[in-house]
Amino acid sequence: MDALVRISRELSAQVAELRFPSVAVVYNPLAYARAPHEAYLGRWGASRPREMLMVGMNPGPFGMAQTGVPFGDVTMVRDFVGIEGSVGKPPHEHPKRPIAGFACHRSEVSGTRFWGWARTRFGTAERFFERVFVANWCPLVFIEQSGRNLAPDKLPAAERAPLLAACDEALTRIAETLCPSLVVGVGAFAEARARAALGPSVRIGRILHPSPASPAANANWAELVDSQLGALGFEPS
């Protein structure tokens, strides 16, 4: 079994044992979307070492929650990343956040922006993944009773602590496997977790998260990312 697949399966089993009473529903796409997730790992995670590891926070409800791929907007995952596969259902499904897999018709803005940037700057997925790999720090989706997505950093401390431990350990193992010279958090929280998990063993930086909740991201996200990566010594091409 490939190292990244082993890490994914072990993390999936670990977080499945955790309990989050503060939220209504928790989705684990590493379990019900295992087929496309492991297809992504197998196709794009095999070559090592990697120049840069980009780390997201956790799946979005219309992204990785549907496709098993980080920043996993359905159209981008299918047409640019080149991944598709069978997606099942989580044990408990929120009526406002159904899982339709690759039949989901909602787009994820963050994923559209992220992979759209990769396609524009690198041209092909092959050229992108020759230099970069993308992973999420946390594999779980947290959904409140209202249907609103809850970020992991907003969980109560008692629920958050074991999640931090499991996800930090998995990120450490991913970095040890890929041996990147640069780890970039997509957003402040992902950067903070990378620093906590990896310490001074690797150079760590940050780019602006592509979320539409960010006014800066809504203005000129791709250009800002180019500038931020350039300051870290990475030139997309």
Side-chain angles (χ1 to χ4, degrees):
M1 183 187 299
D2 182 78
L4 292 181
V5 172
R6 182 179 296 108
I7 294 166
S8 171
R9 291 190 181 183
E10 291 175 2
L11 177 61
S12 178
Q14 278 185 287
V15 296
E17 297 297 318
L18 303 180
R19 295 295 174 262
F20 303 94
S22 66
V23 295
V25 179
V26 178
Y27 291 170
N28 180 4
L30 299 191
Y32 65 80
R34 174 175 286 181
H37 175 69
E38 293 189 357
Y40 168 75
L41 297 180
R43 182 171 182 181
W44 300 121
S47 72
R48 299 154 189 165
R50 207 58 65 91
E51 186 175 345
M52 179 167 65
L53 171 63
M54 301 184 84
V55 182
M57 182 167 57
N58 75 312
F62 307 112
M64 186 174 175
Q66 304 292 339
T67 64
V69 174
F71 297 97
D73 173 78
V74 169
T75 300
M76 283 294 181
V77 170
R78 183 193 294 122
D79 297 346
F80 176 68
V81 184
I83 298 296
E84 196 167 5
S86 176
V87 176
K89 292 278 191 179
H92 304 286
E93 195 171 25
H94 196 290
K96 292 185 178 180
R97 292 291 181 263
I99 298 301
F102 285 82
C104 177
H105 297 297
R106 293 282 299 268
S107 65
E108 185 191 60
V109 174
S110 294
T112 301
R113 286 176 176 167
F114 183 88
W115 293 116
W117 165 81
R119 181 175 59 188
T120 299
R121 299 300 187 265
F122 293 85
T124 65
E126 285 77 8
R127 289 186 64 194
F128 175 78
F129 285 108
E130 281 174 2
R131 301 179 65 193
V132 185
F133 190 72
V134 184
N136 268 335
W137 170 77
C138 172
L140 301 180
V141 186
F142 303 97
I143 305 173
E144 296 181 324
Q145 193 66 49
S146 65
R148 188 172 74 95
N149 191 53
L150 185 75
D153 59 324
K154 300 300 190 295
L155 291 166
E159 297 176 26
R160 191 169 64 244
L163 181 71
L164 295 179
C167 296
D168 283 358
E169 178 190 7
L171 179 58
T172 299
R173 293 173 64 194
I174 291 169
E176 289 172 348
T177 300
L178 295 176
C179 301
S181 55
L182 174 64
V183 174
V184 173
V186 183
F189 180 80
E191 179 199 20
R193 293 325 309 163
R195 291 190 183 280
L198 305 176
S201 64
V202 63
R203 197 158 53 94
I204 296 171
R206 178 175 76 192
I207 61 170
L208 179 69
H209 196 283
S211 169
S214 166
N218 291 331
N220 55 350
W221 182 79
E223 289 75 13
L224 283 169
V225 167
D226 287 342
S227 176
Q228 289 172 326
L229 289 176
L232 293 169
F234 183 91
E235 296 295 335
S237 60

